[in-house]
Structure formats: C-alpha cells, structure tokens
Amino acid sequence: MTTAFYSHPDCRGHDMGEGHPECPERLDAIDDHLLATGLTTALSLREAPMAKVDDLDLAHESRYVTELGDALQRIAADGRPRALDADTIAAAGTWAAVMRAAGAAVAATDAVIDGTCENAFCAVRPPGHHATRAQAMGFCFFNNVAVAARHALDVRGLKRVAIIDFDVHHGNGTEDIVANDDRVLMVSIFQHPLYPYSGAVPLGTNMVNVPVPPYTRGPQIRALIEENWLAPLDEFAPEMIFISAGFDAHRDDELGQLGLVEADYTWITEKIKAVAVKHSGGRIVSCLEGGYNLGALARSVAAHLRVLTAA
Ligand SMILES: [Zn+2]
C-alpha cells in the first residue's frame, strides 16, 4: 500500500526571522535526508491544496478564522512582519503557508478515507497543536490536526477518531478544541513542566495525558505509552488515527530535555500502526509538529516513514 507525502513549497515561505528554530530549513533537511536514503521513492508525493475556510471553522471560532485570515493577508500584501506572541511571528509568506499546512492535513484525510493511499504524512509548517479555538501561539496559527480530525467527523461522517500527540510540548490547542468531544480520544505524552505548562490536569474525559519529567529517556517513555495509551485506544477502537508528529523529544533537540532517539520513534510508530491495522483499516494521517535539531528531525521523520511505508 501507498504512503502519501503531502507538502508544498509555500510552507517554506513562512519565515519568522534569523535564528528562529521553527525555520524553513526544517523541511529542506527532511527532503534531503529522504532523497539521500532512497525513502522518497517509496512515497507518493502530493502537493497540498489551500485549506477551505469552512474546514478551518470546524476547529476554530469563525471570528478568529476571519480576523487571523484578514491580518495574515494584510501582512502578505505589505510585507511588514508582526508578532502574535513572543515567538509566533506572522510575515509575508505566513498566510500561504498556514493555508497549505491545514490544506495538506485535510487533503491527506480525504485521500486516506477515499483509499487512494493507506496512510499519509504531511511535511508542513507552521505546526498546529498549540493553536487553540481562538488563539495563535507557540509557532502555531491554525490547528492542522484538529481541523483534519473534525473534517473526518463532520464532513466525511466518521464516528470516532483518535489523536495521538508525541511532541515534547503539550498539545494545549488540540486539547482546547477537542476536550469533551466524545467522538475524539486524544492521547499524548509530553515533558512537564515545559511550555505551554498545561496538560498535567486533563481538560476533558476524552483525554489521556502523560506528563513526564525532564531527562526521561526512551525505555521509560515506551513503558508509559504501553501502560497509558494502548488500553484506551483499544477500547475506543478509532476509525482513523491522526498523529501530531513532533520530533522535539529527541535527545539532540534543544527545545526540550527528553531523551528519545530514532529507534524510539520507530517503536512508537509501530505501536500506533498496530492499533490502526486492528481497528482503523490502517488509516493514519500524521502531521509534522515540532523538531528543531535538523539532523535529528530528518532522521526521526525517516524512521517514522519507514514504519508507515512498511508492508
Ligand atoms: Zn514541540
């Protein structure tokens, strides 16, 4: 079966300034490594369309979508960057990038549901999991994964989807959007305390939050995932699985202090894929979130994709 790989050149046009870790080179590093390892040939490369406002409205307050969209289009026209929070900067290329990032997630969801691929990875930026219903923060503008999950439920008629978030940071935005939506089970693991300092107390009954202290390494994280994620996922039996695939829990990543290595990302992806095969017809849409050490990011994405593309 095929793994689709969604991206778009516009995702490189979003530039938050010299020295910002969420930089266009992240996508170049991934592409270069996939080419060098020959993994590219195992993928179905697809160009991300622009998201539709109707889809963004499924996860965000309509007024937020309109106001952020207007602001980003003004900035695209006048070229004057504007900080939305201390580290989330809108610049000339931001509007096109956010629309391609969310559009990739929705298109990947349609492709997986329609069966033109078995699973899909969206190599996009900006990331999305800190974007709440009505606030851009933490490098995120629209919540790509939450938009796609709601599209699967509200537009495509699925009844239950799981969102799995293994980024080093808590996915506060996704939690804000899907808390107490019984059609969604969200499971996550993240360093705590660490930005955005939320997640220790789940916001909804449909959340499995696993906060872990700094310097936790792969073996303990694997054990915590087995103890906390697998039974609830099995019981929930999702029809489709969305992954907030952040690779900043890697031991070489300076934005967090966890100790995962490439083999841990292989293991985590294998566990998720087993749930998908058992309950979801193999349907997985994985979207890039964090990951800021360029080498570690590229190798970890490759590890993730090797499992997704395996027979
Ligand atoms: Zn992160």
Side-chain angles (χ1 to χ4, degrees):
M1 278 298 273
T2 314
T3 295
F5 182 91
Y6 281 86
S7 194
H8 194 282
D10 285 349
C11 290
R12 288 169 169 75
H14 166 57
D15 189 344
M16 295 194 282
E18 191 67 32
H20 198 296
E22 207 290 276
C23 59
E25 290 78 9
R26 298 175 63 227
L27 297 184
D28 297 329
I30 292 169
D31 277 0
D32 290 351
H33 187 71
L34 295 180
L35 271 171
T37 54
L39 252 172
T40 308
T41 57
L43 302 167
S44 167
L45 305 182
R46 302 183 188 185
E47 192 156 277
M50 302 275 275
K52 296 191 178 79
V53 168
D54 284 353
D55 281 322
L56 300 175
D57 283 349
L58 297 174
H60 295 283
E61 287 178 12
S62 182
R63 193 176 136 187
Y64 170 73
V65 173
T66 305
E67 290 182 356
L68 180 61
D70 288 350
L72 294 182
Q73 287 175 86
R74 266 200 311 279
I75 293 164
D78 70 23
R80 290 209 304 272
R82 199 178 105 202
L84 304 185
D85 77 8
D87 48 24
T88 310
I89 296 135
T94 302
W95 170 243
V98 301
M99 294 302 274
R100 296 291 179 186
V106 171
T109 301
D110 283 333
V112 168
I113 292 173
D114 292 337
T116 69
C117 57
E118 182 183 24
N119 54 42
F121 181 75
C122 300
V124 293
R125 50 182 296 279
H129 76 151
H130 296 307
T132 70
R133 275 171 292 177
Q135 193 182 347
M137 60 182 280
F139 315 164
C140 301
F141 298 80
F142 292 127
N143 195 312
N144 309 319
V145 163
V147 167
R150 282 278 168 76
H151 177 85
L153 294 163
D154 293 337
V155 179
R156 301 304 304 260
L158 267 56
K159 293 183 174 57
R160 292 179 314 283
V161 304
I163 297 176
I164 299 177
D165 188 330
F166 56 72
D167 190 278
V168 78
H169 303 97
H170 174 236
N172 64 300
T174 313
E175 183 177 63
D176 174 65
I177 292 165
V178 305
N180 296 314
D181 179 343
D182 291 339
R183 304 169 300 169
V184 182
L185 172 68
M186 179 176 179
V187 307
S188 64
I189 192 159
F190 49 88
Q191 181 181 322
H192 186 78
L194 182 67
Y195 181 89
Y197 304 100
S198 52
V201 180
L203 290 183
T205 52
N206 60 329
M207 299 286 150
V208 176
N209 293 11
V210 185
V212 297
Y215 308 110
T216 306
R217 299 173 73 172
Q220 295 104 300
I221 286 175
R222 293 188 195 196
L224 286 165
I225 285 174
E226 285 202 307
E227 283 164 31
N228 292 282
W229 286 6
L230 299 186
L233 282 168
D234 214 31
E235 191 184 339
F236 187 71
E239 293 175 307
M240 186 160 175
I241 295 178
F242 293 87
I243 305 177
S244 267
F247 298 93
D248 42 9
H250 194 285
R251 71 174 175 196
D252 293 342
D253 198 293
E254 291 184 356
L255 268 68
Q257 287 82 41
L258 294 188
L260 296 189
V261 295
E262 290 81 335
D264 296 311
Y265 289 112
T266 299
W267 183 91
I268 293 171
T269 312
E270 284 170 349
K271 291 292 168 189
I272 295 170
K273 191 170 176 181
V275 176
V277 167
K278 183 173 177 188
H279 294 292
S280 327
R283 298 195 283 208
I284 297 172
V285 169
S286 177
C287 294
L288 181 64
E289 300 281 1
Y292 304 100
N293 177 298
L294 297 185
L297 169 66
R299 294 190 307 273
S300 301
V301 168
H304 183 58
L305 283 172
R306 270 190 204 97
V307 177
L308 291 183
T309 55

